[in-house]
Amino acid sequence: DAPTVLDALPAELTERFEREGWLLTRSYNDEIGASVAEAFGTEDRAAVESYCHANGITFEWQTDGGLRTRQRRSAVVRHPATGRRCWFNQIAFLNEWTMAAEVREYLVDVYGADGLPFNTRFGNGDPIGEDVVQLLNNVYESHTAREPWQAGDLMLVDNVRTAHSREPFEGPREVLVALADPVRLADCSPTVEVTSE
């Protein structure tokens, strides 16, 4: 529950994220992580650049044909129906400290700290420490509700109010997903402006 997670985090931390937002950096190449074509659905540089400009994503083409992007987003938004403040981001999930230590070390050795497939930072570009990521993950864990799936189940999730994921499983499964009632970020009172630099 995003409002509950927000309330459980230290005020000093959430206030900083509200002021600065968070920064997502991505590196796309044909070696590790998503390629440009997989991520954007095209290899057409003009189409990729157009998408980035339209969505407040800065980009830099690499000499090897890869792409690096940066996007600054709000970490806290208001629910469009209730107005409640919600912790709405992927700061911990996409952070380097969420990777297994040996994977992170290998990727940094091979690609450099700026070449990781993904990473998050404070909105001003400062690194987010391992302690902050651990704190975020601990708060998520302590407020997680688990629902074992049964054949034929239907689950509706409010994507702004509820952080959601799945845990490891074994055996076959088929999950169908549909999105309804799209919400624009602008309708959620973001605390930072989304612009291309």
Side-chain angles (χ1 to χ4, degrees), residues 161-180:
R161 177 162 176 191
T162 309
H164 50 89
S165 67
R166 70 160 179 83
E167 293 184 313
F169 67 94
E170 291 186 18
R173 75 175 198 152
E174 182 178 16
V175 176
L176 305 176
V177 177
L179 302 176

Side-chain angles (χ1 to χ4, degrees), residues 15-157:
E15 288 166 4
R16 179 175 183 185
F17 276 117
E18 279 189 281
R19 253 189 343 268
E20 298 177 12
W22 64 291
L23 185 66
L24 171 62
T25 59
R26 305 275 319 244
S27 293
Y28 305 95
N29 60 54
D30 292 328
E31 295 176 5
I32 188 154
S35 68
V36 171
E38 290 167 334
F40 293 91
T42 181
E43 291 183 11
D44 179 351
R45 283 187 175 207
V48 170
E49 292 174 8
S50 177
Y51 177 88
C52 289
H53 286 300
N55 290 282
I57 302 170
T58 60
F59 60 89
E60 177 185 356
W61 292 102
Q62 304 298 296
T63 56
D64 63 1
L67 175 68
R68 286 201 183 137
T69 63
R70 293 168 39 109
Q71 49 190 302
R72 187 169 165 247
R73 298 293 186 253
S74 292
V76 177
V77 300
R78 291 202 176 271
H79 192 279
T82 67
R84 287 187 71 191
R85 293 171 57 242
C86 296
W87 182 252
F88 182 72
N89 58 70
Q90 294 184 322
I91 293 167
F93 178 71
L94 293 173
N95 188 276
E96 66 183 298
W97 297 112
T98 302
M99 297 179 199
E102 61 276 3
V103 171
R104 180 187 167 279
E105 289 170 14
Y106 172 79
L107 292 175
V108 169
D109 283 347
V110 174
Y111 299 101
D114 291 332
L116 295 173
F118 53 81
N119 200 3
T120 59
R121 294 178 170 270
F122 287 102
N124 70 354
D126 287 349
I128 297 173
E130 184 176 10
D131 59 329
V132 172
V133 174
Q134 187 63 46
L135 170 68
L136 295 173
N137 285 330
N138 288 343
V139 170
Y140 279 128
E141 178 61 30
S142 67
H143 294 286
T144 294
R146 289 174 170 79
E147 182 61 38
W149 285 84
Q150 303 295 319
D153 277 355
L154 172 67
M155 179 180 283
L156 301 177
V157 176

